[in-house]
Amino acid sequence: MKKKFSFESAIELTMTALFVSVIFLCTMAVNIKLPVASNGGLMHLGNVPLFIGAGIFGKKLGAYSGAIGMGLFDLVSGWAIWSPFTIVISALIGYTFGSILSKKFSVKRYLFAVAVAIVIKSAGYYIAEAIIIRNLIIPLGSIYGNVIQIIVAGIMAFPVILPLRKYFLEE
């Protein structure tokens, strides 16, 4: 049986599109190429709205908006070879972050979600870079940038998520 269109699905689609746009813009507008990693590496603020969206609206919005927003950035900004990896990694981060915070919010759960995001991003981009450059040693130099990027995003998103969760989810 085909599901009928509902007000809730329209809001869900709209919020996902909004977060895709904000993630793309934050990744595009505020990014710094790192001079030390083999492929330069990239520090950006796209993970901040990814954490906010997933932390408030859940795993589905987190997965879709992260994958599309950051994947699209890679495609249009000269990082196209990274795009398939970014789509998978960002979807996993958004899905996992949203899953961990889907229950009642706590600082412990939030810190755990950030820690898991660090592991996913660091391991994911280590594997991606190892595949792209065909070397297992050089990608180790990119890990610190990924860790810093997620920690900064976690710090920046935290004061936004808490009041918005209370507003939207009535916690």
Side-chain angles (χ1 to χ4, degrees):
M1 176 155 271
K2 192 173 182 181
K3 184 178 177 184
K4 291 186 178 185
F5 184 77
S6 68
F7 182 71
E8 289 80 20
S9 65
I11 290 174
E12 190 176 318
L13 180 61
T14 302
M15 292 307 291
T16 302
L18 174 71
F19 275 94
V20 165
S21 302
V22 173
I23 289 168
F24 174 79
L25 291 172
C26 286
T27 308
M28 183 69 97
V30 183
N31 66 65
I32 302 162
K33 290 183 182 176
L34 299 175
V36 290
S38 66
N39 287 312
L42 185 69
M43 295 282 289
H44 61 78
L45 293 182
N47 290 298
V48 176
L50 173 58
F51 287 175
I52 293 169
I56 297 167
F57 298 106
K59 60 189 177 186
K60 194 170 156 185
L61 180 139
Y64 288 136
S65 62
I68 297 167
M70 289 190 208
L72 186 59
F73 166 79
D74 281 356
L75 286 174
V76 302
S77 64
W79 299 81
I81 194 168
W82 293 89
S83 187
F85 299 105
T86 295
I87 289 168
V88 172
I89 294 163
S90 297
L92 283 171
I93 290 171
Y95 186 88
T96 307
F97 201 87
S99 294
I100 292 168
L101 296 181
S102 66
K103 306 270 190 252
K104 186 106 173 111
F105 185 87
S106 72
V107 174
K108 268 181 148 174
R109 290 182 80 79
Y110 185 80
L111 293 174
F112 179 65
V114 171
V116 171
I118 288 171
V119 171
I120 294 169
K121 186 163 190 98
S122 298
Y125 279 109
Y126 171 83
I127 293 166
E129 190 171 356
I131 291 169
I132 289 169
I133 67 169
R134 296 184 178 125
N135 186 302
L136 296 176
I137 304 300
I138 294 173
L140 292 171
S142 300
I143 292 173
Y144 82 95
N146 291 321
V147 171
I148 291 169
Q149 186 176 115
I150 295 295
I151 289 172
V152 168
I155 291 167
M156 292 177 74
F158 181 77
V160 176
I161 291 174
L162 190 56
L164 288 179
R165 276 184 68 98
K166 286 181 181 179
Y167 178 78
F168 284 107
L169 305 176
E170 299 178 23
E171 287 186 336

